[in-house]
């Protein structure tokens, strides 16, 4: 059973371009969480999605960032018109149902975005 | 408000020393859970332990041990006889039962010198 797969592992974008980060959850998992780790900081929650639904996007920046988790295919975190401050590691975690007291969320290896 | 504080930004020890990483959390929820993760230089997050709020039993796993004390809202992590391979950033995280998202501390960078 493969773990949470994120690709690409490393992504370089020029200022103003779009970045698309993909997360394939573990088999049987229908819940996905995205976190951002700015340099020398801890991870910060961005968004929680179930298949075709955004459940909690309280950590998403108001502009340029969007996320989706379609019925088929991976979850996508999309950053439009990237700026240098978007340079960070983006982690995805998945769980079979809402992660909580009895349910574990498993993290992927992260995508490191560098904006030049 | 939910919060996790790791007051130690960086710790440097010599191999074979014991080291304790502190974690203090804040939550109004009576049911919650806590994690420790290791982030080696390669960047991935390695799960170390999870502890639920109703289970205050301390745990030992090889050279690792965890001390969970609800009275002081602390969940400290001790590495006994540290090794160079323990060098990494260590994160403490808090989750609550009404949401799946985790609140992470700022992390403690541990450097173990040979």
């Amino acid at each position: 059973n493969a773990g949470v797969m994120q690709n690409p592992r490393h992504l370089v974008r020029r200022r103003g371009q779009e970045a698309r980060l993909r997360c394939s959850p573990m088999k049987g998992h229908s819940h996905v969480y995205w976190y951002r780790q700015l340099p020398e900081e801890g991870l910060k929650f961005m968004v929680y999605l179930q298949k075709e639904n955004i459940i909690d996007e309280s950590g998403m920046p108001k502009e340029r960032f969007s996320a989706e988790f379609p019925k088929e295919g991976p979850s996508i975190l999309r950053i439009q018109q990237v700026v240098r401050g978007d340079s960070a590691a983006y982690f995805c975690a998945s769980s079979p149902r809402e992660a909580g007291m009895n349910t574990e969320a498993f993290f992927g290896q992260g995508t490191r975005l560098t904006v030049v | 408000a939910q919060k996790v504080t790791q007051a130690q930004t960086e710790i440097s020890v010599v191999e074979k020393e014991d080291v304790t990483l502190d974690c203090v959390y804040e939550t109004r929820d009576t049911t919650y859970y806590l994690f420790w993760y290791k982030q080696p230089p390669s960047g991935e997050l390695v799960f170390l332990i999870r502890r639920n709020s109703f289970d205050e039993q301390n745990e030992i796993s090889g050279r690792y041990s965890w001390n969970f004390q609800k009275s002081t809202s602390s969940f400290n992590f001790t590495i006994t006889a540290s090794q160079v391979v323990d060098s990494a950033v260590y994160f403490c995280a808090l989750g609550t039962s009404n949401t799946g998202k985790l609140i992470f501390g700022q992390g403690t960078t541990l450097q173990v010198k040979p």
Side-chain angles (χ1 to χ4, degrees):
Chain A
N1 189 12
V4 178
M5 304 299 292
Q6 290 188 248
N7 68 81
R9 291 292 308 280
H10 300 275
L11 180 62
V12 179
R13 283 287 177 266
R14 295 187 183 280
R15 280 179 294 170
Q17 290 185 321
E18 178 180 286
R20 281 183 171 240
L21 288 62
R22 293 175 181 74
C23 170
S24 296
M26 289 179 69
K27 188 176 181 180
H29 287 195
S30 57
H31 295 241
V32 164
Y33 302 81
W34 284 94
Y35 290 81
R36 177 167 66 173
Q37 183 181 23
L38 293 170
E40 315 223 350
E41 292 190 14
L43 281 73
K44 296 282 196 299
F45 167 81
M46 298 182 76
V47 62
Y48 163 36
L49 310 105
Q50 294 178 26
K51 287 279 188 181
E52 300 184 279
N53 285 306
I54 297 175
I55 306 302
D56 181 349
E57 56 182 347
S58 57
M60 286 282 269
K62 298 297 180 198
E63 297 176 347
R64 301 186 298 108
F65 284 72
S66 63
E68 63 176 8
F69 189 16
K71 187 176 179 181
E72 301 290 338
S75 175
I76 306 286
L77 180 66
R78 182 180 175 207
I79 311 172
Q80 294 179 293
Q81 299 176 319
V82 296
V83 300
R84 289 224 169 102
D86 297 332
S87 295
Y90 292 84
F91 287 91
C92 166
S94 76
S95 60
R97 47 192 171 276
E98 184 177 81
M101 294 299 291
N102 300 309
T103 304
E104 199 68 64
F106 297 86
F107 280 87
Q109 292 191 302
T111 292
R112 273 140 193 89
L113 171 66
T114 302
V115 179
V116 297
Chain B
Q2 327 268 9
K3 188 178 179 182
V4 175
T5 301
Q6 295 180 253
Q8 304 149 307
T9 305
E10 291 185 22
I11 300 176
S12 181
V13 299
V14 177
E15 208 170 16
K16 298 185 183 175
E17 285 185 15
D18 298 347
V19 58
T20 296
L21 283 61
D22 297 333
C23 173
V24 175
Y25 61 92
E26 294 177 30
T27 180
R28 290 189 179 145
D29 290 337
T30 55
T31 304
Y32 53 89
Y33 44 101
L34 296 157
F35 292 89
W36 275 96
Y37 288 92
K38 174 182 179 180
Q39 188 174 44
S42 50
E44 73 272 24
L45 279 177
V46 178
F47 167 82
L48 294 178
I49 191 170
R50 171 201 174 108
R51 176 62 76 227
N52 292 337
S53 55
F54 49 79
D55 181 5
E56 280 194 80
Q57 197 168 19
N58 291 328
E59 179 150 341
I60 297 175
S61 176
R63 296 184 296 108
Y64 296 170
S65 62
W66 291 269
N67 184 0
F68 177 29
Q69 292 199 337
K70 288 177 75 170
S71 60
T72 55
S73 297
S74 65
F75 186 40
N76 296 338
F77 171 33
T78 297
I79 302 174
T80 303
S82 58
Q83 300 176 0
V84 173
V85 293
D86 296 327
S87 297
V89 182
Y90 290 86
F91 291 101
C92 180
L94 166 71
T96 58
S97 58
N98 62 346
T99 174
K101 66 187 181 187
L102 299 179
I103 309 297
F104 282 80
Q106 292 287 88
T108 297
T109 299
L110 173 64
Q111 184 181 34
V112 181
K113 298 178 181 176

